[in-house]
Amino acid sequence: MSSVKIPIAKPFVDDNDREAVLSVLKSDILSQGPYLLEFEKNFAKFVSSFGGCAVSSGTAGLHLVVKALGIGDGDEVITSPFSFVASSNCLLYERARPVFVDIEETTFNIDPNKIEGAITKKTKAILVIHIFGQMAQMDKILKIAKRYNLAVIEDACESLGAKYKGKDAGTFGDVGVFGFFPNKQMTTGEGGMIVSNSKKLLELVKSLRNQGRNDGDNWLESKILGYNYRLDEMSAALGVSQLNKLPIMIEDRKRVAMSYNQKLANIKWLKTPEIGNDRTHTWFVYVVRIINGKRNILIKRLAEKGIQTRNYLPSIHLQPFMKKVFGYKNGDFPVSEKVSSETLALPMFVGLEMKDIKYICAEIKQI
Ligand SMILES: *Cc1c(COP(=O)(O)O)cnc(C)c1O
C-alpha cells in the first residue's frame, strides 16, 4: 500500500493554540484551573446554553448524562443505529437497552415517523444523534418526547455549530453532549462538553465527573459514586483557543464541502450530501453515496493514490458484540444498512487545498 498523501481528517492547530497550552505548562495549575471555567463559560455562550461541564471525552460526557438522568437497569432508550458506537455504548455502561429506530435516507438521522412505534412502558428517553454535521428533525422529536414524557439527550458530538430553525445543536433537549477528538470541528486532543439549561443537572454531572465531590467539599469526601472524567487544564486552554476561531474553521469546512459538491455533481453512480429543510451543516465529514455497488473497490483504489477515505458508518446493530448480546441480524434496520453499504467519507479538514480537492475528484471520476 502506498502512503497517505491526503488524510481523511486533520486537526487545525496554530500558534495561538500552542501559546495557550504552553502558558498552562508555565504555571502550576495543570488541572481545575481558570481555563476550565473559561472554556465552559465560552462554550455555553457559543451554543447559547445556560452552562457547560467539560469532561475528558465525548463518550465520558454521554455516560455521565445517562447516569445523571437516572437511566439504568432494563430501561429502554430510543436511538439511531447509524452512528458511532459511543452513542449506544453509553447506555450499555448503565445496563440500559438501546432501542434502535431506522433513519431517514436523506439526512441519515433518526426517522421521527418511526419513533412512536418503538416506545414501550420501559422507554425513558430519546437519544438523538445529529450525524455528520447536520441536525435531526427536532420539532417532531420534541413533540413525541413531550407526549410520552421522555427525556431528550442530544449527541451533538459531530454537529458543533449546526443549527435547526436558527437554534444550535445540543440546546433543544434536556441536555447536549459534544466531543473534541482531533477529527471534530474543534479539538482539545481528547475532551468533551455537556451543555444544559438545567442548573441542577449541571451540578450533578460536575459532581459525577469529579469522584462525586461537590463544590466546596473536602477533597477526600465523596457523597455519591463518581468517576474521574475531568478535563485537564492544557486541554481546556486548547479548547478556549480553538473556540475563538471555530466560526472561521466551520466556514472553511463549508468551502471544502461546496467545492466537492460542485466537482462531483454530475456522476451517475455518486450522490452528494442532502441537507434537510431549516438546517445548516457544519461538515464533520463529507459523505457521498456510491450507488453502483463498488464502494469498497473505490476505497482501495483511492488508497493506492494516497487518498484516505472511509466507509462512514457501519450500522451499530451489526457490530459483532451487539449481534452477540442482542441477537440483531441483517435486515433489522434496512435503511441504515443500505446507507452503511453505500456511504464514503472523503478527506475533510480545515485548509484542504483546492488542488487536492481537484485531485481527489479527478481520481474518483476516473474510476
Ligand atoms: C466523536 C463522537 C462521540 C464522542 O467520541 P469521543 O472520542 O469519546 O470524544 C460520540 N458520539 C458520536 C456520534 C461521535 O461521532
Side-chain angles (χ1 to χ4, degrees):
M1 266 239 321
S2 61
S3 62
V4 176
K5 283 194 216 112
I6 311 174
I8 188 161
K10 190 162 82 170
F12 180 74
V13 174
D14 66 11
D15 282 344
N16 291 328
D17 297 323
R18 285 182 275 268
E19 269 166 37
V21 174
L22 210 57
S23 76
V24 175
L25 290 172
K26 287 175 180 166
S27 78
D28 286 334
I29 306 172
L30 306 190
S31 182
Q32 299 186 294
Y35 272 116
L36 181 72
L37 299 176
E38 192 181 349
F39 185 34
E40 290 175 339
K41 194 172 133 227
N42 294 1
F43 190 91
K45 193 171 167 211
F46 183 86
V47 298
S48 305
S49 185
F50 167 72
C53 166
V55 285
S56 53
S57 72
T59 306
L62 286 166
H63 182 200
L64 289 191
V65 161
V66 168
K67 186 102 189 167
L69 291 173
I71 295 165
D73 245 324
D75 290 338
E76 294 180 358
V77 175
I78 289 174
T79 190
S80 164
F82 191 74
S83 176
F84 179 57
V85 286
S87 62
S88 286
N89 285 352
C90 64
L91 300 168
L92 303 179
Y93 301 154
E94 293 303 317
R95 297 165 309 281
R97 186 187 174 97
V99 173
F100 295 117
V101 164
D102 215 344
I103 58 169
E104 303 176 321
E105 207 173 326
T106 47
T107 68
F108 313 147
N109 280 309
I110 192 165
D111 185 342
N113 299 321
K114 292 180 183 156
I115 290 177
E116 274 191 276
I119 294 174
T120 73
K121 281 203 181 88
K122 290 181 183 168
T123 310
K124 286 280 156 63
I126 305 174
L127 198 168
V128 184
I129 300 113
H130 305 305
I131 205 77
F132 293 165
Q134 173 171 209
M135 289 187 64
Q137 293 194 56
M138 289 313 291
D139 276 5
K140 290 186 183 172
I141 293 167
L142 290 176
K143 218 178 262 173
I144 296 166
K146 200 167 173 200
R147 193 175 313 140
Y148 293 89
N149 197 23
L150 305 174
V152 175
I153 304 166
E154 291 177 77
D155 178 344
C157 288
E158 297 192 359
S159 294
L160 174 54
K163 291 181 199 302
Y164 176 75
K165 299 191 174 168
K167 198 172 150 169
D168 269 87
T171 65
F172 283 77
D174 295 273
V175 58
V177 180
F178 298 84
F180 309 124
F181 192 70
N183 63 349
K184 311 270 163 158
Q185 286 92 341
M186 62 166 273
T187 188
T188 59
E190 298 284 356
M193 185 75 77
I194 300 165
V195 300
S196 178
N197 289 323
S198 161
K199 199 172 163 222
K200 218 171 126 193
L201 190 130
L202 284 170
E203 271 168 16
L204 182 51
V205 289
K206 280 182 184 176
S207 171
L208 286 169
R209 82 172 160 186
N210 190 21
Q211 310 287 14
R213 295 179 186 112
N214 287 322
D215 261 358
D217 277 0
N218 180 328
W219 183 252
L220 295 177
E221 183 174 82
S222 288
K223 294 221 167 71
I224 51 172
L225 172 68
Y227 304 82
N228 177 0
Y229 285 168
R230 297 184 299 262
L231 186 74
D232 67 80
E233 192 71 355
M234 290 74 76
S235 302
L238 183 53
V240 168
S241 172
Q242 287 265 304
L243 192 60
N244 283 337
K245 53 178 169 277
L246 183 57
I248 299 167
M249 293 198 288
I250 289 174
E251 212 38 56
D252 202 60
R253 297 181 95 93
K254 276 185 193 158
R255 170 192 64 85
V256 174
M258 293 310 117
S259 305
Y260 275 136
N261 273 349
Q262 195 196 1
K263 292 189 186 345
L264 298 172
N266 296 310
I267 307 176
K268 273 208 197 78
W269 45 267
L270 182 150
K271 275 193 200 162
T272 54
E274 285 185 49
I275 303 182
N277 287 335
D278 309 312
R279 271 165 275 196
T280 65
H281 203 308
T282 55
W283 305 105
F284 165 58
V285 281
Y286 182 89
V287 171
V288 296
R289 291 172 69 178
I290 306 300
I291 54 176
N292 61 2
K294 295 187 176 154
R295 193 257 323 256
N296 293 348
I297 299 170
L298 190 57
I299 291 176
K300 236 177 108 195
R301 294 269 183 85
L302 291 171
E304 284 161 14
K305 304 284 179 186
I307 302 165
Q308 190 180 38
T309 61
R310 205 162 278 158
N311 58 330
Y312 262 78
L313 284 154
S315 294
I316 295 176
H317 66 284
L318 297 180
Q319 293 284 353
F321 80 96
M322 289 297 284
K323 286 206 279 196
K324 204 168 130 196
V325 176
F326 294 107
Y328 290 117
K329 55 189 188 311
N330 282 308
D332 284 345
F333 303 99
V335 183
S336 180
E337 290 167 30
K338 179 167 177 243
V339 169
S340 285
S341 72
E342 294 177 346
T343 38
L344 177 74
L346 304 181
M348 165 57 80
F349 50 87
V350 174
L352 180 56
E353 287 179 42
M354 198 46 140
K355 71 167 176 35
D356 288 336
I357 297 172
K358 278 183 184 158
Y359 171 67
I360 295 162
C361 294
E363 290 299 335
I364 290 172
K365 277 183 191 161
Q366 214 159 47
I367 289 155

